[in-house]
Each structure stands twice: as structure tokens, then as C-alpha cells.
Short mmCIF file of all heavy atoms in Angstrom, two decimals:
data_model
loop_
_atom_site.label_atom_id
_atom_site.label_comp_id
_atom_site.label_asym_id
_atom_site.label_seq_id
_atom_site.Cartn_x
_atom_site.Cartn_y
_atom_site.Cartn_z
N SER A 180 13.27 -12.80 -23.22
CA SER A 180 12.84 -13.77 -24.22
C SER A 180 11.54 -13.38 -24.90
O SER A 180 10.74 -12.60 -24.37
CB SER A 180 12.69 -15.14 -23.56
OG SER A 180 12.04 -16.04 -24.42
N THR A 181 11.33 -13.97 -26.05
CA THR A 181 10.08 -13.82 -26.80
C THR A 181 9.02 -14.81 -26.34
O THR A 181 7.87 -14.74 -26.78
CB THR A 181 10.35 -14.09 -28.29
OG1 THR A 181 10.93 -15.41 -28.42
CG2 THR A 181 11.32 -13.08 -28.86
N ASN A 182 9.37 -15.76 -25.47
CA ASN A 182 8.49 -16.88 -25.14
C ASN A 182 8.16 -16.98 -23.65
O ASN A 182 7.48 -17.92 -23.24
CB ASN A 182 9.13 -18.20 -25.58
CG ASN A 182 9.17 -18.36 -27.07
OD1 ASN A 182 9.78 -17.56 -27.78
ND2 ASN A 182 8.55 -19.39 -27.58
N ASP A 183 8.63 -16.03 -22.82
CA ASP A 183 8.41 -16.13 -21.38
C ASP A 183 6.93 -16.31 -21.04
O ASP A 183 6.07 -15.62 -21.58
CB ASP A 183 8.90 -14.86 -20.69
CG ASP A 183 10.41 -14.72 -20.72
OD1 ASP A 183 11.08 -15.74 -20.94
OD2 ASP A 183 10.90 -13.61 -20.52
N MET A 184 6.67 -17.20 -20.09
CA MET A 184 5.29 -17.49 -19.73
C MET A 184 5.24 -18.11 -18.34
O MET A 184 6.00 -19.01 -18.03
CB MET A 184 4.69 -18.47 -20.76
CG MET A 184 3.23 -18.80 -20.56
SD MET A 184 2.65 -20.04 -21.78
CE MET A 184 2.91 -19.16 -23.33
N VAL A 185 4.35 -17.58 -17.50
CA VAL A 185 4.04 -18.21 -16.22
C VAL A 185 2.53 -18.39 -16.16
O VAL A 185 1.78 -17.43 -16.36
CB VAL A 185 4.50 -17.35 -15.03
CG1 VAL A 185 4.16 -18.05 -13.72
CG2 VAL A 185 5.98 -17.05 -15.10
N ILE A 186 2.10 -19.61 -15.92
CA ILE A 186 0.67 -19.92 -15.83
C ILE A 186 0.38 -20.57 -14.49
O ILE A 186 1.12 -21.43 -14.04
CB ILE A 186 0.22 -20.88 -16.96
CG1 ILE A 186 0.40 -20.22 -18.33
CG2 ILE A 186 -1.24 -21.29 -16.78
CD1 ILE A 186 0.09 -21.16 -19.50
N ILE A 187 -0.71 -20.14 -13.86
CA ILE A 187 -1.19 -20.80 -12.65
C ILE A 187 -2.59 -21.33 -12.90
O ILE A 187 -3.42 -20.66 -13.51
CB ILE A 187 -1.18 -19.84 -11.43
CG1 ILE A 187 -1.57 -20.59 -10.17
CG2 ILE A 187 -2.06 -18.63 -11.65
CD1 ILE A 187 -1.32 -19.81 -8.89
N ALA A 188 -2.83 -22.57 -12.48
CA ALA A 188 -4.13 -23.22 -12.66
C ALA A 188 -4.57 -23.81 -11.33
O ALA A 188 -3.78 -24.44 -10.63
CB ALA A 188 -4.05 -24.32 -13.72
N SER A 189 -5.84 -23.60 -10.99
CA SER A 189 -6.35 -24.08 -9.70
C SER A 189 -7.54 -25.01 -9.88
O SER A 189 -8.46 -24.72 -10.64
CB SER A 189 -6.77 -22.91 -8.81
OG SER A 189 -7.27 -23.41 -7.58
N THR A 190 -7.51 -26.11 -9.12
CA THR A 190 -8.64 -27.04 -9.11
C THR A 190 -9.76 -26.56 -8.21
O THR A 190 -10.86 -27.10 -8.23
CB THR A 190 -8.18 -28.42 -8.62
OG1 THR A 190 -7.69 -28.30 -7.27
CG2 THR A 190 -7.07 -28.98 -9.50
N CYS A 191 -9.48 -25.55 -7.37
CA CYS A 191 -10.47 -24.93 -6.47
C CYS A 191 -11.09 -25.93 -5.50
O CYS A 191 -12.26 -25.80 -5.11
CB CYS A 191 -11.57 -24.23 -7.28
SG CYS A 191 -11.00 -22.82 -8.26
N ARG A 192 -10.32 -26.91 -5.06
CA ARG A 192 -10.85 -27.95 -4.16
C ARG A 192 -10.58 -27.66 -2.69
O ARG A 192 -11.01 -28.43 -1.82
CB ARG A 192 -10.24 -29.30 -4.54
CG ARG A 192 -10.62 -29.78 -5.93
CD ARG A 192 -10.03 -31.16 -6.19
NE ARG A 192 -10.35 -31.63 -7.54
CZ ARG A 192 -10.01 -32.83 -8.02
NH1 ARG A 192 -9.32 -33.66 -7.24
NH2 ARG A 192 -10.33 -33.19 -9.24
N SER A 193 -9.85 -26.59 -2.39
CA SER A 193 -9.53 -26.28 -0.99
C SER A 193 -10.25 -25.00 -0.57
O SER A 193 -11.25 -24.61 -1.16
CB SER A 193 -8.01 -26.16 -0.82
OG SER A 193 -7.67 -25.99 0.53
N GLY A 194 -9.70 -24.31 0.46
CA GLY A 194 -10.34 -23.12 0.98
C GLY A 194 -10.12 -21.89 0.11
O GLY A 194 -9.40 -21.93 -0.89
N ARG A 195 -10.71 -20.78 0.54
CA ARG A 195 -10.68 -19.55 -0.23
C ARG A 195 -9.29 -18.91 -0.22
O ARG A 195 -8.58 -18.93 0.78
CB ARG A 195 -11.70 -18.55 0.32
CG ARG A 195 -13.13 -18.84 -0.07
CD ARG A 195 -13.33 -18.58 -1.54
NE ARG A 195 -13.09 -17.18 -1.88
CZ ARG A 195 -12.79 -16.75 -3.10
NH1 ARG A 195 -12.65 -17.60 -4.11
NH2 ARG A 195 -12.59 -15.47 -3.32
N ILE A 196 -8.96 -18.30 -1.33
CA ILE A 196 -7.69 -17.57 -1.48
C ILE A 196 -7.61 -16.45 -0.43
O ILE A 196 -8.61 -15.80 -0.12
CB ILE A 196 -7.58 -17.01 -2.91
CG1 ILE A 196 -6.19 -16.41 -3.15
CG2 ILE A 196 -8.68 -15.99 -3.19
CD1 ILE A 196 -5.96 -16.02 -4.60
N ASP A 197 -6.40 -16.27 0.12
CA ASP A 197 -6.18 -15.21 1.10
C ASP A 197 -4.71 -14.82 1.10
O ASP A 197 -3.94 -15.25 0.22
CB ASP A 197 -6.64 -15.65 2.50
CG ASP A 197 -5.94 -16.92 2.98
OD1 ASP A 197 -4.81 -17.20 2.52
OD2 ASP A 197 -6.50 -17.63 3.83
N GLU A 198 -4.30 -14.02 2.07
CA GLU A 198 -2.91 -13.56 2.11
C GLU A 198 -1.93 -14.69 2.39
O GLU A 198 -0.77 -14.62 2.00
CB GLU A 198 -2.75 -12.46 3.16
CG GLU A 198 -3.23 -11.09 2.69
CD GLU A 198 -2.49 -10.61 1.44
OE1 GLU A 198 -1.25 -10.70 1.41
OE2 GLU A 198 -3.16 -10.15 0.50
N ASN A 199 -2.38 -15.74 3.08
CA ASN A 199 -1.50 -16.89 3.31
C ASN A 199 -1.13 -17.55 1.98
O ASN A 199 0.01 -17.97 1.77
CB ASN A 199 -2.17 -17.91 4.22
CG ASN A 199 -2.18 -17.47 5.67
OD1 ASN A 199 -1.74 -16.38 5.99
ND2 ASN A 199 -2.70 -18.31 6.55
N PHE A 200 -2.12 -17.64 1.09
CA PHE A 200 -1.83 -18.19 -0.24
C PHE A 200 -0.85 -17.30 -0.99
O PHE A 200 0.11 -17.78 -1.60
CB PHE A 200 -3.12 -18.33 -1.05
CG PHE A 200 -2.87 -18.62 -2.51
CD1 PHE A 200 -2.56 -19.90 -2.93
CD2 PHE A 200 -2.92 -17.61 -3.45
CE1 PHE A 200 -2.30 -20.18 -4.26
CE2 PHE A 200 -2.67 -17.87 -4.79
CZ PHE A 200 -2.36 -19.17 -5.19
N THR A 201 -1.08 -16.00 -0.96
CA THR A 201 -0.20 -15.07 -1.66
C THR A 201 1.24 -15.18 -1.14
O THR A 201 2.20 -15.16 -1.92
CB THR A 201 -0.71 -13.63 -1.50
OG1 THR A 201 -2.03 -13.55 -2.04
CG2 THR A 201 0.19 -12.65 -2.23
N GLU A 202 1.38 -15.33 0.18
CA GLU A 202 2.70 -15.48 0.77
C GLU A 202 3.36 -16.78 0.29
O GLU A 202 4.54 -16.79 -0.07
CB GLU A 202 2.60 -15.49 2.29
CG GLU A 202 3.93 -15.63 3.00
CD GLU A 202 3.80 -15.66 4.51
OE1 GLU A 202 2.75 -15.22 5.03
OE2 GLU A 202 4.74 -16.15 5.18
N ALA A 203 2.61 -17.88 0.30
CA ALA A 203 3.16 -19.16 -0.14
C ALA A 203 3.52 -19.14 -1.62
O ALA A 203 4.56 -19.69 -2.02
CB ALA A 203 2.15 -20.28 0.14
N LEU A 204 2.69 -18.49 -2.43
CA LEU A 204 2.99 -18.38 -3.86
C LEU A 204 4.27 -17.59 -4.07
O LEU A 204 5.09 -17.92 -4.94
CB LEU A 204 1.82 -17.73 -4.59
CG LEU A 204 1.97 -17.59 -6.10
CD1 LEU A 204 2.11 -18.96 -6.77
CD2 LEU A 204 0.76 -16.84 -6.69
N GLY A 205 4.47 -16.55 -3.28
CA GLY A 205 5.70 -15.78 -3.37
C GLY A 205 6.92 -16.62 -3.04
O GLY A 205 7.95 -16.53 -3.72
N VAL A 206 6.81 -17.48 -2.04
CA VAL A 206 7.91 -18.37 -1.68
C VAL A 206 8.23 -19.31 -2.83
O VAL A 206 9.40 -19.51 -3.20
CB VAL A 206 7.56 -19.18 -0.41
CG1 VAL A 206 8.57 -20.30 -0.19
CG2 VAL A 206 7.54 -18.25 0.81
N VAL A 207 7.20 -19.90 -3.43
CA VAL A 207 7.39 -20.83 -4.56
C VAL A 207 8.11 -20.14 -5.71
O VAL A 207 9.09 -20.67 -6.26
CB VAL A 207 6.03 -21.39 -5.02
CG1 VAL A 207 6.15 -22.06 -6.39
CG2 VAL A 207 5.48 -22.38 -3.99
N CYS A 208 7.66 -18.96 -6.08
CA CYS A 208 8.26 -18.26 -7.23
C CYS A 208 9.69 -17.81 -6.93
O CYS A 208 10.56 -17.88 -7.80
CB CYS A 208 7.39 -17.07 -7.64
SG CYS A 208 5.80 -17.56 -8.37
N ARG A 209 9.94 -17.37 -5.70
CA ARG A 209 11.31 -16.95 -5.36
C ARG A 209 12.27 -18.14 -5.35
O ARG A 209 13.42 -18.02 -5.80
CB ARG A 209 11.33 -16.24 -4.00
CG ARG A 209 10.73 -14.84 -4.05
CD ARG A 209 11.05 -14.06 -2.80
NE ARG A 209 10.46 -14.63 -1.60
CZ ARG A 209 9.23 -14.37 -1.17
NH1 ARG A 209 8.45 -13.55 -1.85
NH2 ARG A 209 8.79 -14.91 -0.05
N GLU A 210 11.80 -19.29 -4.87
CA GLU A 210 12.66 -20.48 -4.89
C GLU A 210 12.98 -20.92 -6.31
O GLU A 210 14.10 -21.32 -6.62
CB GLU A 210 12.00 -21.62 -4.11
CG GLU A 210 12.02 -21.43 -2.60
CD GLU A 210 13.44 -21.30 -2.07
OE1 GLU A 210 14.30 -22.13 -2.42
OE2 GLU A 210 13.70 -20.35 -1.30
N LEU A 211 11.99 -20.85 -7.20
CA LEU A 211 12.24 -21.19 -8.60
C LEU A 211 13.22 -20.19 -9.23
O LEU A 211 14.08 -20.58 -10.02
CB LEU A 211 10.93 -21.21 -9.39
CG LEU A 211 9.98 -22.37 -9.09
CD1 LEU A 211 8.65 -22.16 -9.81
CD2 LEU A 211 10.59 -23.71 -9.50
N ALA A 212 13.08 -18.91 -8.88
CA ALA A 212 14.01 -17.90 -9.40
C ALA A 212 15.43 -18.20 -8.94
O ALA A 212 16.39 -18.08 -9.71
CB ALA A 212 13.58 -16.50 -8.94
N ARG A 213 15.59 -18.61 -7.68
CA ARG A 213 16.92 -18.96 -7.17
C ARG A 213 17.48 -20.16 -7.92
O ARG A 213 18.68 -20.21 -8.23
CB ARG A 213 16.85 -19.27 -5.68
CG ARG A 213 16.63 -18.05 -4.79
CD ARG A 213 16.82 -18.40 -3.33
NE ARG A 213 16.57 -17.25 -2.47
CZ ARG A 213 15.43 -17.03 -1.84
NH1 ARG A 213 14.42 -17.88 -1.98
NH2 ARG A 213 15.29 -15.96 -1.08
N MET A 214 16.63 -21.14 -8.23
CA MET A 214 17.09 -22.31 -8.98
C MET A 214 17.59 -21.90 -10.36
O MET A 214 18.63 -22.38 -10.84
CB MET A 214 15.95 -23.32 -9.15
CG MET A 214 15.53 -24.01 -7.89
SD MET A 214 14.19 -25.21 -8.24
CE MET A 214 13.47 -25.38 -6.61
N MET A 215 16.88 -20.99 -10.99
CA MET A 215 17.29 -20.54 -12.32
C MET A 215 18.58 -19.73 -12.26
O MET A 215 19.41 -19.82 -13.17
CB MET A 215 16.17 -19.74 -12.98
CG MET A 215 15.06 -20.63 -13.53
SD MET A 215 13.80 -19.73 -14.44
CE MET A 215 12.67 -19.39 -13.12
N ALA A 216 18.75 -18.97 -11.20
CA ALA A 216 20.02 -18.23 -11.04
C ALA A 216 21.18 -19.21 -10.88
O ALA A 216 22.25 -19.02 -11.47
CB ALA A 216 19.94 -17.30 -9.83
#
């Protein structure tokens, strides 16, 4: 597409970013990809 876009926005109210966050973000994006499939 000409319009594809993924945006992430953080309120920064919790703890520091780490590999646990990266793993959870991967789960979220893969689940959304499965929904689109």
C-alpha cells in the first residue's frame, strides 16, 4: 500500500524499556498480523 503506517506512543509512566518489553511488543504485532490474515 501507499498508506501503510505503524505508530507507537508511550506515556512513559512505567519502568524502563528492556527485552521483556520487546518480547511483548512482538507478541502484540504477531497477533495483529494473524488477525489480518
Side-chain angles (χ1 to χ4, degrees):
S180 169
T181 57
N182 290 60
D183 291 341
M184 183 183 298
V185 181
I186 297 175
I187 185 168
S189 179
T190 62
C191 295
R192 296 183 181 183
S193 185
R195 283 290 298 158
I196 188 172
D197 58 25
E198 281 300 314
N199 285 3
F200 168 80
T201 301
E202 181 181 340
L204 182 61
V206 168
V207 166
C208 291
R209 287 193 295 274
E210 287 301 312
L211 289 173
R213 288 190 182 98
M214 291 181 201
M215 283 185 269

